[in-house]
Amino acid sequence: MVTREENGTVLARQKEKLKPPPMYQVLLLNDDYTPMEFVVAIIQEYFNKDRETATQIMLKVHRDGKGLCGVYPKDIASTKVELVLTHARKAGHPLQCVMEEA
Ligand code: TYC
C-alpha cells in the first residue's frame, strides 16, 4: 500500500527509472548479385526515402559493405527487416537486411 505521503516519492522514483524504449538501426548489407536499381526501389518503398537519398544509401552500401536505412522502435524495425527480406526473396535476390540496437 502506498500512503498519500509516500505517493510523491514513489512517483518520483518510478519516473527516474523510466528509460525511453531502445531504438534499432535497420541496415542493408552488400552482395554481388542484387541489382542496384532493385535496392534503390526497396529503400524508397520501405524506408520512405526519395530517389536521390535512396541512391546515396545504396551506393554507400555498395562501397562500404553496409548502410543505415532508418532507426525505429523494435517492432517496427523487425517488421521492416521481414518485409524487405520477403520482397527480395520473392524477386529472387540475395539482399540482406539486419537490425542492430542503436
Ligand atoms: N553490389 C550490388 C551490385 O553491384 C549492388 C548492391 C547494393 C547490392 C546494395 C546490395 O544492399 C546492396 N549489383
Side-chain angles (χ1 to χ4, degrees):
M1 209 264 261
V2 178
T3 64
R4 216 170 109 66
E5 257 169 39
E6 287 166 345
N7 191 38
T9 312
V10 170
L11 287 177
R13 211 187 301 133
Q14 280 177 345
K15 207 168 176 199
E16 276 165 28
K17 276 195 301 188
L18 281 180
K19 278 189 266 166
M23 298 292 277
Y24 289 78
Q25 296 184 331
V26 178
L27 305 144
L28 284 177
L29 306 183
N30 191 36
D31 66 74
D32 292 339
Y33 305 103
T34 305
M36 290 185 174
E37 189 50 52
F38 181 82
V39 178
V40 171
I42 286 280
I43 297 169
Q44 284 187 261
E45 178 169 348
Y46 295 102
F47 302 100
N48 307 314
K49 307 297 187 195
D50 60 34
R51 196 175 161 78
E52 208 171 286
T53 305
T55 301
Q56 283 167 8
I57 294 171
M58 181 280 294
L59 286 173
K60 195 213 181 283
V61 178
H62 180 69
R63 282 194 222 106
D64 301 348
K66 65 179 177 176
L68 179 64
C69 295
V71 181
Y72 309 96
K74 193 174 199 173
D75 290 6
I76 295 174
S78 158
T79 300
K80 288 192 186 279
V81 169
E82 285 314 310
L83 290 172
V84 167
L85 293 179
T86 299
H87 189 151
R89 293 306 165 269
K90 276 191 182 143
H93 302 309
L95 181 64
Q96 286 296 338
C97 184
V98 298
M99 59 193 270
E100 282 178 7
E101 193 170 337

